[in-house]
Amino acid sequence: MRVVLGVAGGIAAYKAAHVIRRLREIGHTVTVVPTPSALEFVGAPTFEALSGRPVTTDVFDFVDQVNHVRIGQDADLVIIAPATANTIAKIAAGMADDLLTATVLTTTAPVVVAPAMHTEMWLNPATVANIATLRSRGVHILEPAVGRLTGPDSGPGRLPEPEDIVAFALAAVGSDEPSASAQGGALTGRRVVVSAGGTREALDPVRFLGNRSSGKQGIALARAAHAAGAEVELVAAHVDTGLLSDLPADISITPIESTLDLQEAMETAQASADVIIMAAAVADYRPAEVGESKLKKSGDEGMRIDLVQNPDVLAGLVASRRPGQFIVGFAAETGDATHTAHEYAVEKFRRKGADLLVFNDVSADRAFGHDVTEVVVLAADGDEVVDAARLAGTKDDVAQKVTAVIAERLTPVESTP
Ligand code: CTP
């Protein structure tokens, strides 16, 4: 389940760290959305390290991804713990002046609020009325515990213990069991980002330079990683019609067009990815100039198109990866008079430096768009190719086998404090 954990600015914000850990232990993914004042109590790096995902408080961050809408729309459950009197009042009033309140306003997922504040604030008629408003709208309120508060005072207003918050929240959505994916999937708790399809480089508003990639292999990998319990993002360049329509709803799809779009999407995704699979067929060049209007024929003359080189997205991801992040490249090769396709693949692997390179020989147009494929998986140890496994079958079979190879080679999930 994709859980958004909102954290408001109270002394109990430190308990949110344990809520994150507990949720992740039982297989849920957690996006933390603190209010700006929550970060006065607990720093963003703590939330990022514990959740494994970027943290922002501002609706103006990641504007291109319409973050304030997307986080709410993607959530299966929103928990606010601790919820201060101020945040409760803003939610009751329907305000949206930070990322957390905007997220609450956009989500259709169940919302669980765990208030924590001084007794006087909790019992104040304004808070009492706001809580009644939230309850009347179906928000689940976890009554604060009675006990020692920040100072010497004690009374109702204390944030319940993290295990109780998690148990209450899961019961509220009718899921007090660990999620299915938590029950032993080889990639449970991992975030996998897969690129698929062929990039398109615009020549003018209607024409582009493209390639024959169908996207089948990348989409099969996204599906296989999801089936193995991973949280999956599919960065989709152009793919064949219909391929995206029957994917599991919780695979998030980021559509892109060009290599530069791909680079931007992958760099953003890299921040929170445990595994990156670059199955997209990427254009190495793009037109130096893109016509603002449709290019016209000029007499009987031919046409020259100047191309400039695109960045190597995979090489860039490898260069900037964090420790433990696992990166897989793909290569479709043809042999020639001097080298076999395999030799070219080995050379490419050494040049790019990923953890695995999945290569197929497309000499006789055997791979693009077909359901059955044969690949060789090259595994590197430094510059040395240490093993090569030949896998054949449908693209789904190959995807499952490649996914299993990846899962075997991942470093174990670090235990959090
Ligand atoms: N790739 C990439 N960025 C590019 C080109 C390729 O990220 N500009 C990635 C592909 O997604 C794939 C791998 O690199 O995972 C190999 O792609 P391929 O097109 O075979 O490699 P090139 O570097 O383009 O090599 P070549 O000179 O053979 O075209």
Side-chain angles (χ1 to χ4, degrees):
M1 197 159 43
R2 288 166 302 186
V3 181
V4 169
L5 178 64
V7 184
I11 192 79
Y14 74 93
K15 287 190 182 172
H18 297 277
V19 174
I20 302 166
R21 189 174 69 170
R22 178 73 194 127
L23 286 166
R24 290 200 73 194
E25 271 170 5
I26 56 176
H28 302 292
T29 58
V30 184
T31 302
V32 185
V33 182
T35 62
S37 53
L39 296 183
E40 301 284 329
F41 294 91
V42 180
T46 300
F47 291 137
E48 289 184 341
L50 291 174
S51 67
R53 315 201 54 171
V55 164
T56 175
T57 61
D58 199 331
V59 285
F60 296 108
D61 289 335
F62 308 115
V63 171
D64 55 327
Q65 295 165 38
V66 207
N67 220 23
H68 66 295
V69 176
R70 189 169 161 184
I71 292 176
Q73 284 174 339
D74 284 353
D76 299 309
L77 169 65
V78 177
I79 304 173
I80 306 174
T84 56
N86 186 47
T87 293
I88 289 167
K90 288 204 285 187
I91 295 171
M95 289 171 66
D97 66 347
D98 57 28
L99 188 57
L100 175 56
T101 47
T103 298
V104 172
L105 214 49
T106 50
T107 194
T108 53
V111 177
V112 171
V113 168
M117 63 197 76
H118 285 282
T119 304
E120 294 78 2
M121 295 171 105
W122 174 243
L123 297 177
N124 186 288
T127 307
V128 171
N130 289 332
I131 289 288
T133 301
L134 296 187
R135 280 195 212 274
S136 71
R137 292 184 194 146
V139 172
H140 304 270
I141 307 289
L142 175 59
E143 289 282 330
V146 178
R148 178 89 189 268
L149 302 173
T150 314
D153 49 343
S154 105
R158 189 181 152 86
L159 188 69
E161 292 312 307
E163 305 74 49
D164 298 331
I165 295 170
V166 172
F168 177 85
L170 296 182
V173 289
S175 153
D176 43 11
E177 296 297 322
S179 65
S181 66
Q183 295 166 352
L187 291 176
T188 295
R190 309 286 192 165
R191 185 167 159 78
V192 176
V193 180
V194 185
S195 71
T199 60
R200 290 179 162 185
E201 305 297 331
L203 270 165
D204 68 18
V206 294
R207 303 184 181 95
F208 58 85
L209 301 179
N211 61 64
R212 290 181 194 277
S213 173
S214 63
K216 276 185 184 149
Q217 188 63 78
I219 290 170
L221 280 155
R223 204 187 282 282
H226 176 267
E231 183 197 354
V232 179
E233 177 178 350
L234 177 66
V235 176
H238 176 76
V239 302
D240 280 1
T241 318
L243 285 183
L244 297 178
S245 58
D246 64 342
L247 282 177
D250 56 347
I251 292 184
S252 81
I253 300 174
T254 306
I256 57 102
E257 184 90 10
S258 67
T259 302
L260 293 180
D261 297 341
L262 174 73
Q263 182 184 40
E264 195 182 331
M266 294 307 294
E267 285 177 358
T268 302
Q270 180 171 37
S272 57
D274 298 304
V275 178
I276 296 173
I277 305 176
M278 280 292 294
V282 186
D284 289 324
Y285 296 90
R286 65 180 183 277
E289 284 177 26
V290 181
E292 278 180 19
S293 51
K294 200 175 158 204
L295 300 177
K296 297 284 179 208
K297 276 200 294 286
S298 59
D300 294 333
E301 290 170 23
M303 178 187 259
R304 287 184 67 92
I305 300 170
D306 287 327
L307 301 176
V308 291
Q309 198 159 2
N310 271 327
D312 188 321
V313 180
L314 175 60
L317 294 169
V318 169
S320 60
R321 72 168 147 187
R322 54 182 161 73
Q325 193 167 56
F326 196 88
I327 303 186
V328 182
F330 268 71
E333 296 291 341
T334 55
D336 59 24
T338 58
H339 293 87
T340 63
H342 191 286
E343 283 166 346
Y344 278 125
V346 170
E347 188 277 323
K348 181 169 292 177
F349 193 13
R350 293 201 167 122
R351 187 156 38 89
K352 302 220 176 204
D355 296 294
L356 289 179
L357 187 87
V358 181
F359 126 77
N360 58 5
D361 185 340
V362 290
S363 299
D365 191 23
R366 294 189 304 189
F368 285 122
H370 294 225
D371 284 323
V372 175
T373 189
E374 182 180 282
V375 301
V376 175
V377 182
L378 304 174
D381 179 7
D383 272 347
E384 284 298 302
V385 173
V386 293
D387 67 34
R390 190 168 289 274
L391 307 176
T394 64
K395 289 190 175 177
D396 283 326
D397 294 336
V398 167
Q400 279 163 22
K401 290 174 188 164
V402 170
T403 302
V405 175
I406 293 169
E408 271 166 27
R409 286 167 181 270
L410 289 183
T411 48
V413 180
E414 279 175 34
S415 56
T416 47

